[in-house]
Amino acid sequence: MSYRKWLLFGCLAAVAMVSQPAAARGRWTAAEANSWDAIQPWFLGANYLPSTAVNELEMWQRETFDPKRVDQEFDWAQDLGMNVMRVFLHNALWDQDPNGFNERMNTLLDIAARHKIRIMFVLFDSCWDPDYQMGPQRAPILGVHNSGWVQAPGGKILDDPSKYPALKSYVVGVIGAFAHDPRVFAWDIWNEADNQGGGNYKNNPKDKLKRIQTLLPQAFDWARSVAPIQPLTSGVWHDPDWSPSAKLNAIERIQLEQSNIISFHDYSWPEEFEGRIKQLSPYGRPIICTEYMARGMGSTFDTITPIGKRSNVGMINWGFVAGKSQTTLPWDSWIKPYTYNVKPEPIWFHDVFHSDGTPYRTREAQILRALSGAPKGVVPGSY
């Protein structure tokens, strides 16, 4: 089946699955989620930020949106056999220019489709800087991992419930514009929702998690109100046990009870990664790992990605092309910035390519090509 026919078939099948009276729409049943999964390929991709952008605002604002760079970098992804990219949005972009924002999203989706890539959009994010400003973004901090990333909706909006209706407008407006678009393969409602923030930032709301606990189920409801054909998810990421019998925190329980498909993050050793899959399998739904691959933590393409392939778990690593995000540097660079020159170069933490398209490790590119080219559920050879 050609890519175009597969997209059309998937779209028609999904529309048929969710075409029911509005009052009856809710979370997909496990059977519906697995029916959706049955017509999907094995998902392989990356969390995507252009190498020329320091954060999601610089990626998407009209003055700095760079479709030529996106097209070039998606070409490198296609060469590896990647078929999905996870891409972060921001509510401030919608507030500033909803029509222009949707136009740029459509441009990116067109570029992705030319490279046989589908997109998972992320609407909200609890990580890094809780304050943001539109317009030109600050330069990255020398030697510091992801030093320009900003949270969505950000601390000031979380602290002001009078602004929450604008968040509903954003969710309904963005998802509504692409709710029946087969170029979008899923909606990630909130990235690491119960993350306190990270970095050296001191200005998160004191009751941040309590506010998100209130907002997260509303965000799922807002998304469902426009009846998207794509599944909704929000990934668990940190507690030691996510199994149905585990003592989950309130936000994790919302994530696992509201998601149509299960998603999770794991940057640990192979045996721990396999344990995560065992914890989540009893939910009886498709599973996607939406963040992994931190070489210094033991999470590598060599060791982790084949496990995902064998287990039919979609695999989306963090980082793609080294650039202004500086995610080749480890998390501890927030404590000890890597401002010195060392030869040989320290091992890259994240990212796959240099800015000229040269793979960081040729062997990693070979592994990804082999896995993406194999039949679904079959891992070729040993690595």
Side-chain angles (χ1 to χ4, degrees), residues 106-159:
N106 188 65
T107 297
L108 182 133
L109 288 167
D110 278 343
I111 295 168
R114 289 201 299 271
H115 294 287
K116 301 181 179 180
I117 290 170
R118 295 163 73 200
I119 302 297
M120 169 186 274
F121 285 122
V122 186
L123 281 87
F124 297 113
D125 183 12
S126 291
C127 296
W128 306 114
D129 192 347
D131 291 334
Y132 61 84
Q133 291 184 342
M134 299 296 284
Q137 299 298 295
R138 67 176 184 267
I141 300 171
L142 182 63
V144 176
H145 172 107
N146 218 7
S147 61
W149 198 263
V150 293
Q151 295 183 35
K156 292 179 181 178
I157 291 180
L158 282 178
D159 251 350

Side-chain angles (χ1 to χ4, degrees), residues 295-306:
R295 295 177 183 90
M297 301 285 291
S299 177
T300 68
F301 291 126
D302 310 57
T303 59
I304 300 296
T305 320

Side-chain angles (χ1 to χ4, degrees), residues 53 63 74 131 167 183 230 238 242-243 253 333 341 344 348:
E63 296 77 12
F74 278 14
D131 291 334
L167 300 180
R183 299 172 299 175
Q230 310 93 347
H238 66 93
W242 300 321
S243 58
R253 191 162 298 281
S333 59
N341 292 319
W348 279 18

Side-chain angles (χ1 to χ4, degrees), residues 2 5 13 31 72 85 96 124 131 139 143 156 160 171 181-182 187 192 238 245 356 365 370 373:
S2 71
K5 288 182 178 178
Q72 182 180 53
M85 288 285 176
Q96 181 190 63
F124 297 113
D131 291 334
K156 292 179 181 178
D160 186 357
V171 173
D181 193 326
W187 300 96
E192 296 194 357
H238 66 93
S245 61
D356 64 357

Side-chain angles (χ1 to χ4, degrees), residues 235-237 241-244 248 252 256 262-266 273-289 313:
V236 290
W237 68 282
D241 189 359
W242 300 321
S243 58
L248 302 167
E252 289 171 325
L256 290 169
I262 301 298
S263 60
F264 73 101
H265 299 173
D266 186 85
F273 184 84
E274 287 188 295
R276 292 305 203 181
I277 296 173
K278 291 178 181 178
Q279 291 171 8
L280 294 171
S281 294
Y283 291 96
R285 292 175 177 270
I287 301 173
I288 297 179
C289 177
V313 171

Side-chain angles (χ1 to χ4, degrees), residues 179-202:
H180 292 82
D181 193 326
R183 299 172 299 175
V184 179
F185 92 88
W187 300 96
D188 192 330
I189 301 299
W190 206 306
N191 178 66
E192 296 194 357
D194 55 344
N195 193 318
Q196 289 285 3
N200 298 329
Y201 303 107
K202 307 298 183 184

